[in-house]
Amino acid sequence: MSRTRRAVEFDVVDLGLRASRDARGTPAELLDGYLEDLAALSTTGAQLGAKQLRVRHEAGARAAADGVALRDLIDLYLSATWLAWSSLPGVRDAVGADAVRTVGEAVFRAADAAVTALAEGYEEAQRWSVRREESFRREFVDDLLDGRNVGHLAERAERIGFRLAASNVVAAMRADEPIVVGGEAARNVETAVQLRLGSRDVLIATKDGLLVCVAPALPADVPEEFVRQVSAVMGVEADWRVGLGRAQSGPGGAVRSFEQARYALDIADRLGLPGRLHKAADLLVYQVLLRDSAALADLVGEVLEPLRSARGGVGPLLDTLGAYFACGRVATVCARNLHLGVRTVTYRLQRIRELTGYAADDPGQGFTLQVAVLGAKLLGWPDARS
């Protein structure tokens, strides 16, 4: 058989187009010399070399970048293999079943190796794309929460589908151990939230050891969903809290909401507030108290300083006052919460009155005591000298 005859019978352009049609229009250019390789090895029996497999690897990466589905890419190669089979020079020249079998083994080993290299290149490109997108989102959230590069935030926000001008809210989770970038907790919470909400404008990232969720103010259930998924990942026994900032609009809104979320966490930690979710909107009274910390320190010192002289120290009396006000000024409930007898509680309250001159059960004096106790917790008194 002449070389011209063989070339006509093995028309790689026609075979590529037919394989493309069979693979739902997957571009024939992705075959990139595969049919020529099959034709050569069908006569030599050699396998695809490192250079040829590298071409397949690159073709897989190119397909991933172009958005071609992996199954369609594999379909293109398998279709090209069976369509070319009868036209391969080695098959046409084979004499007898043993010769055809030998060619078949060589061709299908090559097809197997080619598909493996394609899949490896495709998956590697996908992983790199995911890492690049994750890095882009992390940098965006970092700049968003720091208020950096504000002039470039809009273009970057559009790329990830985040509505920068809308009203957004920030929730921040603090655990006993800092949350690290790429850590298991961060990945699992992000995956769970994205699966539940299916929204690209909900961003999960780490910042200063916190796990942060930036989300549109509406719908309002996003922070609660974030808390649910954090609970599922961290567990109910772990020590963690979530602070929630108020809804803020504009490029600087996320920064303000994030600062409010961190403030809510700090207040909850200082006061030992119960529960997991602490909203900045519910803690504004403490912000008012701290706005004039010097005056608050004066109040704490003036009202509570005499307790330093008590036998057993300040701690038990301060704890009793805090529990007494927390339960609505009911001595029996206070005693139960502190695992003490009622007589012990009433004795301590009486001792506080003797030392400070303020009665906890008096409306006016009790209010002064309560504010002083809150101030002590906020300022770290008595460990921090007023």
Side-chain angles (χ1 to χ4, degrees), residues 168-170 244-248 253 256-258 260-261 280-281 284 287:
N168 294 294
V169 64
V170 177
L244 178 65
R246 303 196 303 276
Q248 305 285 347
R256 296 191 296 274
S257 187
F258 178 51
Q260 292 164 0
L284 288 175
Q287 185 174 350

Side-chain angles (χ1 to χ4, degrees), residues 358-376:
Y358 290 89
D361 57 354
D362 178 89
Q365 295 179 1
F367 177 73
T368 300
L369 270 176
Q370 185 171 8
V371 173
V373 170
L374 289 175

Side-chain angles (χ1 to χ4, degrees), residues 9-245:
E9 291 169 344
F10 195 74
D11 186 341
V12 294
V13 175
D14 178 63
L15 287 170
L17 292 175
R18 290 166 60 194
S20 174
R21 289 193 297 269
D22 193 65
R24 300 195 301 181
T26 304
E29 291 79 8
L30 291 171
L31 290 169
D32 198 9
Y34 173 67
L35 290 171
E36 290 88 339
D37 289 341
L38 286 186
L41 66 84
S42 72
T43 61
T44 64
Q47 282 303 294
L48 298 177
K51 182 177 180 180
Q52 294 165 311
L53 290 175
R54 187 163 56 250
V55 172
R56 301 301 132 231
H57 189 282
E58 292 170 355
R62 195 162 64 250
D66 292 342
V68 176
L70 180 58
R71 67 175 186 177
D72 290 338
L73 177 64
I74 293 174
D75 192 14
L76 173 70
Y77 271 72
L78 295 183
S79 294
T81 302
W82 72 261
L83 286 170
W85 168 256
S86 60
S87 303
L88 292 173
V91 175
R92 286 188 168 277
D93 293 344
V95 178
D98 289 342
V100 172
R101 185 181 303 110
T102 299
V103 175
E105 290 175 353
V107 168
F108 291 117
R109 281 201 306 271
D112 180 71
V115 167
T116 299
L118 284 170
E120 289 175 350
Y122 191 99
E123 291 169 357
E124 184 178 297
Q126 289 283 71
R127 287 193 296 271
W128 182 83
S129 178
V130 168
R131 287 195 295 269
R132 182 178 60 179
E133 184 67 18
E134 288 176 347
S135 177
F136 180 87
R137 288 168 70 90
R138 281 197 301 269
E139 291 175 2
F140 172 79
V141 174
D142 204 46
D143 287 347
L144 180 68
L145 298 181
D146 273 340
R148 294 194 306 258
N149 302 322
V150 176
H152 298 91
L153 284 178
E155 180 181 347
R156 296 158 67 194
E158 183 178 356
R159 170 176 165 179
I160 63 176
F162 184 78
R163 293 172 292 178
L164 191 62
S167 183
N168 294 294
V169 64
V170 177
M173 184 272 284
R174 177 185 293 156
D176 51 355
E177 294 292 335
I179 306 298
V180 297
V181 175
E184 184 177 356
R187 290 198 312 271
N188 290 344
V189 171
E190 180 177 16
T191 300
V193 169
Q194 295 295 347
L195 286 175
R196 291 285 296 177
L197 300 177
S199 176
R200 295 186 67 212
D201 54 3
V202 175
L203 305 177
I204 307 292
T206 58
K207 179 71 174 173
D208 301 334
L210 306 175
L211 183 61
V212 179
C213 174
V214 186
L218 296 174
D221 61 344
V222 174
E224 283 74 13
E225 183 61 37
F226 176 68
V227 172
R228 280 193 291 271
Q229 298 309 326
V230 167
S231 180
V233 171
M234 302 297 294
V236 295
E237 300 298 327
D239 183 14
W240 58 269
R241 297 177 185 270
V242 174
L244 178 65

